[in-house]
Amino acid sequence: MKYFKMLGLCLVVVFALSAVVVSAAQAEETRGPLWIVGSHGTPLAAGETRAITSRNEGVYRLRATGPTVVECKETINAGFLLGGEPGTDYTQITFKQCSLEANAGCVATGLRPLKPANNGEAIVDALTALAYALGTRESAVDVFAPESEGNLFVEFELTGAACGKLEKAKIEVLANGTEITIKSEKRKCGAIAEVGHTVAGAFVLSKPGEVAKVGLLNLPQEVIKSAEYLETIEGKSSLRKIECGLETKGGIAGKAAEVGTSIVEISKPTAGEEFGWDH
């Protein structure tokens, strides 16, 4: 009888330990990437923020259906990182000197959601959030969704005699991927950028726990379409595969892709503060 009691107690302990191990594994699986700041890589907690600025490295391009490519020679971003899991951020991007590629006489100027000050400019408000690169926890990506309702990133107009048949064409750029929740807003995912930094002048993916004063967000030529995103619904967090994509409507209609690299730095409260991501 004592043997069976001892056996029963052993089984209880085994099951209890198994439950702890399973719970720990599940907790690990549902952790989302978060922003870290400072030389020691301290997690940016929910409610904490860091103001950021960014600028382009090279030309930004919007590839649309067929040979049509809109290029912008300058971009200026201002926004802030938001703490929590996953780490999120808000950014307002001003694209400048925009025209059809190799055709500066056909100027692209934003119309919505915000009207720019000058021809050849477009202003885009975006919500972004950290996610995992598909199939790994060792690389992070930043997923972009429109801030405006209707999933519109921007509407612009082409003007100039050099536009030919596209003169006065109005083109909408919209997100058409998986609907996700960022900052309590439900939006479709539009684009995915690699999170990295520079080593000896070359772009490299940032690893968890690494920090640097200058970060890079890279929208590569070979468009990234999928990621794993942490969402919390009714208090339960889970990772799920999401798809991201862009489409154009109006004068040019079809699938689209954005290509370019941005240099990102923390501006406040401590300019040049190191930052990165972790899980």
Side-chain angles (χ1 to χ4, degrees), residues 17-117:
L17 289 174
S18 299
V20 169
V21 171
V22 170
S23 297
Q26 290 175 340
E28 181 64 26
E29 289 173 359
T30 56
R31 293 292 301 272
L34 47 78
W35 295 114
I36 56 176
V37 294
S39 58
H40 298 293
T42 303
L44 193 62
E48 284 191 286
T49 64
R50 290 293 190 277
I52 56 171
T53 58
S54 66
R55 61 193 186 279
N56 62 303
E57 184 179 68
V59 175
Y60 258 78
R61 291 181 172 87
L62 176 71
R63 300 199 310 257
T65 299
T68 305
V69 177
V70 173
E71 65 176 18
C72 299
K73 295 181 179 178
E74 182 181 1
T75 64
I76 300 173
N77 304 9
F80 48 87
L81 305 180
L82 293 167
E85 288 187 44
T88 60
D89 60 278
Y90 161 78
T91 184
Q92 184 175 94
I93 310 166
T94 301
F95 295 91
K96 297 186 175 186
Q97 301 181 59
C98 299
S99 65
L100 287 187
E101 185 177 37
N103 187 355
C106 184
V107 176
T109 303
L111 301 175
R112 294 188 300 154
L114 300 171
K115 189 173 177 62

Side-chain angles (χ1 to χ4, degrees), residues 254-267:
K255 292 182 179 180
E258 186 179 357
V259 177
T261 301
S262 288
I263 299 168
V264 185
E265 298 174 281
I266 287 180
S267 57

Side-chain angles (χ1 to χ4, degrees), residues 202-270:
F203 174 84
V204 296
L205 296 172
S206 293
K207 297 179 181 178
E210 286 185 331
V211 293
K213 290 184 178 181
V214 178
L216 295 177
L217 291 178
N218 181 49
L219 292 153
Q221 290 282 346
E222 187 173 340
V223 176
I224 303 171
K225 298 180 180 179
S226 304
E228 289 184 83
Y229 185 65
L230 180 76
E231 282 198 316
T232 302
I233 300 174
E234 295 181 353
K236 294 182 179 180
S237 298
S238 61
L239 284 167
R240 65 168 174 144
K241 180 182 176 182
I242 61 171
E243 305 289 337
C244 301
L246 297 173
E247 64 178 333
T248 56
K249 293 184 178 180
I252 301 171
K255 292 182 179 180
E258 186 179 357
V259 177
T261 301
S262 288
I263 299 168
V264 185
E265 298 174 281
I266 287 180
S267 57
K268 293 179 182 179
T270 305

